[in-house]
Amino acid sequence: MKDVIILAIESSCDETACAIVKNGNEILADKVASQIDVHTLYGGVVPEVASRIHIENISIIIKETLKEADMTVEEVDAIAFTQGPGLIGSLHIGVLAAKTLAWAYNKPLIPVHHLTGHIYANAFVKELKFPLLALIVSGGHTELVLMKEDYDFEVIGETLDDAIGEAYDKVGRVLNLPYPGGPKIDKLAKEGKPIYKLPTPKVESPLDFSFSGLKSAVMQAINRLKRNNEELSIEDMCASFQKTALSFLWKKVEIALDNYEVKQLVLAGGVAANSQLRKIVEEKMKTDYPDIDYIIPPLKYCTDNAAMIGASAYIAYKKGIRATYDIGAKATLDF
Ligand code: KG4
Ligand code: ZN
């Protein structure tokens, strides 16, 4: 079969990214312009600011990506973009850039759901096997997705309130850590011990999650220490929060693995970069589920990037999924 080369654009949050991907699993070029330094000043992503920086960066990023691959737009087979979910103003910039390129160069236009990108980032490691269970853990989503076949997504569990990445970032704020809290908590937890007792979240439905109570529990524990004139160890609080959050998360994955026949577990999203979560998956899968294959994506492809959008777009391209020029960005979007 002829090679399929896709130029993909991702701009759903605070990363302006472009990549050129061959056959869904070979990265010819991959560029990410992070805005994190700017948003850190505000303690979180400011949507208006994110949109403005996307406008400033997008053409440069596309140009640099083409240069890195030593290619022209004429040489690519299709243009892909993240349609949603995400920040609407940010998404619009990527959608418009993709439409413009597709129109000017007469290329097929492929809409991609951001979370499918996170799942297909695993295709850079090895071939996906179906039925597959994807654990999506990002700043905006915490979901268990069952895929019976390629590009077939069934959400079997999701968070009822905050996403796990959001909880990491909110706890980071409570502990006065710079935004985003996730990577900082990951690092500090290594130097601490889980000595603070935090209640495990309780959710009736077996495969759903809840993380907002955990953030409140951390705040209450800190206030209690203050009242008792006891010193707070940030490292120990990070270790305590992380242990509680990840044990709860893994329990849900176990329920899913015990109740659905799957051949593979894949990890997806920004929190998949968490060193302790990666360790848990590695150890538990080897000891408790030796017959189920698993993939942990490379660190670089856990957080937002355009290569993963190119990987997902390749499958969409083969399935004949195309966008017309009247397509718009969607802040919320089902699979
Ligand atoms: O997937 P992503 O880049 O953006 C969304 O689509 O949301 O995920 C960003 C999230 C943030 O909440 C960030 O704090 C979290 O991923 N994150 C981490 C780590 N690295 C990023 N959380 C815990 N440990 C990490 N090492
Ligand atoms: Zn993401």
Side-chain angles (χ1 to χ4, degrees):
M1 204 183 122
K2 186 190 165 294
D3 287 335
V4 176
I5 295 175
I6 295 180
L7 183 147
I9 295 171
E10 151 68 36
S11 69
S12 66
C13 190
D14 59 342
E15 259 97 27
T16 322
C18 183
I20 298 177
V21 178
K22 184 168 144 188
N23 299 334
N25 58 13
E26 193 183 325
I27 299 165
L28 304 183
D30 172 31
K31 291 270 177 196
V32 180
S34 172
Q35 311 177 353
I36 214 115
D37 293 349
V38 179
H39 297 295
T40 298
L41 301 175
Y42 300 100
V45 178
V46 183
E48 277 297 315
V49 175
S51 312
R52 183 173 55 73
I53 304 177
H54 280 308
I55 291 181
E56 291 168 3
N57 287 346
I58 194 123
S59 321
I60 301 165
I61 276 288
I62 295 169
K63 197 171 160 201
E64 282 184 355
T65 307
L66 285 161
K67 193 168 157 210
E68 188 176 279
D70 195 19
M71 289 180 82
T72 60
V73 184
E74 281 93 346
E75 290 170 287
V76 308
D77 296 293
I79 310 290
F81 64 95
T82 303
Q83 191 194 2
L87 300 172
I88 194 69
S90 290
L91 287 163
H92 274 311
I93 318 301
V95 175
L96 190 57
K99 276 197 207 186
T100 309
L101 282 180
W103 175 73
Y105 292 89
N106 197 23
K107 301 286 177 186
L109 186 60
I110 306 173
V112 175
H113 187 292
H114 181 76
L115 296 181
T116 68
H118 277 302
I119 295 174
Y120 279 91
N122 286 282
F124 295 128
V125 181
K126 61 176 159 180
E127 208 175 317
L128 305 188
K129 284 187 205 160
F130 304 98
L132 166 157
L133 180 72
L135 172 64
I136 304 178
V137 279
S138 76
H141 297 265
T142 306
E143 292 182 12
L144 281 165
V145 176
L146 179 69
M147 292 177 69
K148 293 198 180 110
E149 55 186 79
D150 235 354
Y151 243 63
D152 175 63
F153 310 95
E154 185 192 343
V155 179
I156 57 168
E158 62 193 329
T159 184
L160 304 177
D161 42 58
D162 290 354
I164 185 166
E166 197 178 349
Y168 265 92
D169 297 339
K170 284 181 176 171
V171 168
R173 208 168 300 149
V174 169
L175 295 172
N176 285 323
L177 302 173
Y179 175 84
K184 317 268 179 333
I185 291 177
D186 185 4
K187 198 157 162 258
L188 290 168
K190 286 185 190 141
E191 295 154 30
K193 290 199 174 58
I195 57 164
Y196 300 116
K197 288 250 165 309
L198 299 170
T200 302
K202 285 202 172 47
V203 181
E204 293 282 316
S205 39
L207 294 174
D208 290 332
F209 305 90
S210 164
F211 290 101
S212 66
L214 202 46
K215 180 208 68 182
S216 311
V218 169
M219 285 172 78
Q220 281 161 14
I222 293 171
N223 288 338
R224 209 175 306 127
L225 289 169
K226 270 193 198 142
R227 272 200 310 275
N228 298 340
N229 280 327
E230 287 175 53
E231 205 180 319
L232 162 74
S233 155
I234 304 248
E235 291 82 0
D236 290 345
M237 189 56 84
C238 288
S240 306
F241 160 73
Q242 178 157 282
K243 183 165 184 260
T244 314
L246 297 184
S247 313
F248 171 67
L249 185 80
W250 187 254
K251 274 269 160 312
K252 298 287 178 169
V253 177
E254 283 181 334
I255 298 173
L257 290 175
D258 293 342
N259 286 279
Y260 291 86
E261 288 264 329
V262 296
K263 291 210 174 99
Q264 199 174 50
L265 171 78
V266 307
L267 206 54
V271 184
N274 184 272
S275 59
Q276 189 57 30
L277 176 58
R278 297 168 82 88
K279 213 182 275 172
I280 291 173
V281 173
E282 187 100 35
E283 287 173 7
K284 296 282 188 188
M285 290 308 287
K286 277 194 182 129
T287 54
D288 299 346
Y289 300 96
D291 298 333
I292 302 177
D293 190 30
Y294 65 93
I295 311 179
I296 300 173
L299 280 182
K300 194 177 166 194
Y301 299 110
C302 289
T303 45
D304 291 348
N305 63 87
M308 67 182 197
I309 301 302
S312 174
Y314 171 69
I315 310 295
Y317 178 87
K318 286 200 302 182
K319 291 208 170 271
I321 297 170
R322 303 286 184 269
T324 48
Y325 291 133
D326 57 354
I327 196 165
K330 292 246 165 71
T332 55
L333 181 63
D334 289 337
F335 278 108

